[in-house]
């Protein structure tokens, strides 16, 4: 496969002149995209009528087909490609390399007025500038120099020793898919993977699979680092833990000042704090990057949470923005959430919320599976997914419930032992360290631990009298939303506590926006939270929240009571209800705990009628 250069820009930017010279220098064919327009399109443009999307799509489809053929030998194509959605159609072939010609309206208008014999009049220029969406990738050139100088700049990027714009270490499932995502955006990439044992041919297999001149593969660190443009931007997609330090140590001798190491694994935020300071001493920048969305998100657009310096982030932002998922306003689901390890902390809390969301759906399933078949439960949840409950996890649960293995449902054949990779425990530990009552995520974690006591559970399993208690579907729907609201607000409160403790200045609304697409916990609720936190950043004082929870309290009570009669464990739903009771009780019984602490440890207490600390000799005051 050979590169197909697409020279893009508005009319009058010099696409044709630059394209022809470049094709001559490289001895490859030149094509003008305008020549592939239909007669109808040409007549429209000649009379000054701007083309609509329905006019352009057949034209773009034709060009995409031609590019597939041109990639056998290489080619240069001059094409306006003003919008990103147009470029995506042409970018389907990974041989495409973009060259973006930029110039001021005044300069290009002057050029158009001087041009004759072309159906595109300068009157349409303003419309083109209005439509222009500049890509965050490709080679960007100012058109002020002449075409020969511009071709020289292009050749610097494309001939001789090639230097990639970005590097990835680790070609596991996530690393491979992120690499493909980057290449699909026309960004040049160097990849590294060790070549031993089962991974002997990982790099060569990947290079063969993607089959594009945009990628270089390496199995040796020094050559890998030298292949990158400076400042080098290297994303580590390797398992969290000591291996990250080991790889950083091996990369270190080859790095220069202001090169950027990005840890994209699920590292603990305190380790990211340490690595940030270590890299700072070396003159190297470090970014801890939380990545959510799984393998599918990595390929098609993940949610990205960065922690590090503003300067380092600004250098990698264009590439990260290009590969990230896009929200409803077409803004990248990417944010610099804070300094040092803030990105990994936010991703950790994301996973804690995710643990509880998964457990809540498991509890819904537990409440329904004795009375409904899997297909019926899928129909119920599918209906929920058309409401405000809509979300990624709910959607995939409906799909899981429908899958058959022979005549049986596959779900019924899966062993009921749930695994975890540590982030759920970290988030619960962080809640404890920060004194933030996130009991849903901790109960979800303990439920997984309990599920692994399979042998003990089987030994202690006994028949109970069947209860006639009925689970009303509408009540269950309301109870599920009640618990989800508690879970999400607990997660955001945990981040708020960390922000205050570590002076991170986390923007909760922006974090919620970043989670509206691309990630595992994306949902309609997350979109609502983004809006709600932008209006009121305080968590438990929002009247809309308190009102909604109050209205759904009765439903949650009825579900918990029915589940108790049926002997069905609801660790997260029950935790949500208990938290709500505690949150809405003005005068609790915690005064007894303080009295007990003072009795056996002299820890003192405060009276309701005094700001001072007091202690009592309880033994002699009876």
């Amino acid at each position: 496969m050979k590169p197909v250069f697409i020279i893009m820009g508005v009319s009058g930017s010099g696409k044709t002149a630059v394209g022809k010279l470049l094709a001559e220098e490289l001895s490859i064919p030149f094509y003008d995209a305008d020549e592939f327009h239909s007669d109808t399109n040409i007549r429209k443009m000649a009379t000054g009528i701007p083309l609509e999307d329905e006019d352009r799509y057949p034209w773009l489809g034709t060009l995409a087909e031609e590019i597939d053929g041109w990639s056998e030998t290489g080619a240069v194509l001059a094409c306006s490609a003003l919008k990103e959605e147009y470029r995506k159609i042409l970018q389907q072939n990974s041989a495409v390399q973009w060259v973006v010609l930029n110039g001021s309206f005044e300069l290009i208008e002057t050029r158009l007025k001087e041009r004759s014999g072309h159906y595109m009049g300068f009157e349409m220029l303003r419309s083109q500038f209005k439509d222009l969406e500049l890509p965050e990738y490709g080679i960007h050139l100012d058109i002020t120099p002449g075409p020969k100088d511009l071709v020289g700049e292009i050749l610097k990027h494309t001939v001789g020793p090639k230097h990639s714009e970005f590097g990835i270490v680790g070609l596991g499932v996530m690393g491979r898919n992120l690499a493909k995502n980057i290449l699909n955006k026309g960004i040049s990439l160097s990849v590294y993977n060790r070549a031993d044992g089962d991974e002997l041919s990982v790099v060569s297999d990947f290079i063969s699979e993607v089959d594009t001149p945009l990628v270089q593969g390496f199995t040796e660190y020094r050559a890998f680092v030298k292949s990158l443009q400076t400042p080098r931007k290297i994303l580590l997609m390797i398992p969290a833990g000591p291996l990250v330090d080991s790889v950083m140590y091996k990369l270190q001798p080859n790095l220069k000042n202001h090169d950027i190491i990005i840890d994209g694994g699920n590292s603990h935020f305190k380790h990211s704090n340490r690595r940030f300071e270590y890299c700072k001493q070396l003159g190297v920048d470090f970014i801890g990057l939380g990545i959510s969305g799984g393998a599918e998100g990595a390929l098609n657009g993940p949610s990205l949470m960065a922690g590090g310096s503003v300067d380092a982030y600004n250098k990698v932002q264009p590439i990260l923005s290009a590969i990230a998922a896009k929200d409803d306003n077409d803004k990248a689901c990417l944010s610099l959430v804070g300094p040092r390890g803030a990105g990994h902390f936010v991703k950790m809390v994301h996973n804690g919320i995710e643990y509880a969301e998964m457990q809540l759906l498991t509890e819904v399933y537990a409440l329904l599976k004795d009375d409904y078949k899997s297909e019926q439960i899928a129909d119920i949840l599918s209906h929920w997914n058309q409401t405000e409950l809509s979300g990624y996890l709910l959607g995939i649960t409906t799909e899981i419930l429908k899958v058959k293995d022979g005549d049986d449902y596959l779900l019924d054949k899966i062993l009921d032992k749930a695994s975890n990779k540590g982030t759920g425990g970290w988030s619960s530990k962080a809640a404890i360290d920060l004194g933030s009552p996130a009991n849903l995520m901790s109960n979800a974690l303990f439920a997984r631990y309990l599920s692994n006591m399979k042998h003990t559970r089987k030994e202690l399993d006994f028949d109970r009298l069947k209860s006639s208690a009925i689970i009303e579907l509408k009540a269950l729907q309301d109870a599920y939303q009640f618990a989800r609201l508690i879970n999400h607000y607990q997660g955001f409160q945990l981040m708020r506590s960390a922000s205050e403790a570590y002076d991170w200045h986390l923007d909760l609304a922006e974090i919620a926006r970043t989670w509206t697409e691309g990630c595992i916990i994306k949902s309609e609720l997350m979109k609502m939270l983004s809006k709600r936190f932008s209006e009121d950043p305080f968590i438990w004082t929002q009247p809309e929240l308190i009102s909604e929870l109050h209205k759904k309290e009765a439903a949650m009570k009825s579900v918990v009571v029915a589940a108790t009669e049926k002997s069905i464990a609801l660790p997260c739903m029950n935790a949500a209800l208990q938290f709500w009771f505690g949150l809405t009780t003005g005068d609790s019984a915690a005064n007894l705990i303080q009295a007990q602490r003072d009795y056996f440890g002299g820890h003192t207490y405060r009276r309701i009628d005094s700001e001072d600390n007091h202690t009592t000799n309880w033994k002699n005051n009876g």
Side-chain angles (χ1 to χ4, degrees), residues 38-77:
S38 66
D39 292 340
T40 302
N41 284 1
I42 293 174
R43 283 195 295 271
K44 270 191 171 185
M45 292 185 288
T47 55
I49 301 174
L51 298 182
E52 304 293 337
D53 284 347
E54 55 265 29
D55 301 316
R56 291 191 176 94
Y57 287 138
W59 167 65
L60 291 165
T62 298
L63 289 174
E65 291 178 5
E66 295 289 345
I67 288 171
D68 284 338
W70 297 338
S71 65
E72 296 296 322
T73 58
V76 178
L77 174 68

Side-chain angles (χ1 to χ4, degrees), residues 181-229:
N181 186 344
I182 290 169
L183 292 170
N184 288 339
K185 300 302 185 297
I187 298 166
S188 57
L189 177 70
S190 291
V191 296
Y192 167 90
N193 202 90
R194 66 179 185 176
D196 53 38
D198 294 339
E199 299 181 68
L200 185 63
S201 61
V202 166
V203 171
S204 58
D205 288 347
F206 179 77
I207 298 298
S208 298
E209 179 185 356
V210 296
D211 188 23
T212 170
L214 291 175
V215 68
Q216 301 181 79
F218 300 89
T219 57
E220 192 270 324
Y221 282 116
R222 185 170 182 273
F224 165 73
V225 174
K226 287 186 66 176
S227 75
L228 297 169
Q229 297 175 14

Side-chain angles (χ1 to χ4, degrees), residues 519-581:
C519 73
I520 303 300
I521 58 175
K522 65 181 181 180
S523 65
E524 288 301 311
L525 172 57
M526 197 64 72
K527 294 177 183 178
M528 179 274 289
L529 291 177
S530 178
K531 182 175 184 295
R532 187 173 284 179
F533 288 134
S534 67
E535 296 170 351
D536 183 358
F538 295 97
I539 305 295
W540 297 112
T541 57
Q542 296 181 3
E544 299 93 339
L545 168 68
I546 301 304
S547 175
E548 188 170 359
L549 290 172
H550 182 68
K551 290 176 182 177
K552 289 179 168 57
E553 177 184 325
M556 178 57 90
K557 283 181 180 178
S558 71
V559 169
V560 170
V561 168
T564 301
E565 291 184 15
K566 288 176 172 288
S567 303
I568 296 174
L570 300 182
C572 277
M573 286 193 177
N574 201 24
L577 185 61
Q578 299 308 315
F579 175 86
W580 171 247
F581 287 159

Side-chain angles (χ1 to χ4, degrees), residues 474-499:
K474 182 60 172 70
L476 181 58
Q477 181 176 345
D478 286 346
Y480 172 60
Q481 183 70 335
F482 177 98
R484 292 183 70 222
L485 285 166
I486 296 288
N487 176 40
H488 280 73
Y489 273 82
Q490 285 184 349
F492 279 90
Q493 177 60 49
L494 175 54
M495 289 187 287
R496 183 180 180 85
S497 298
S499 182

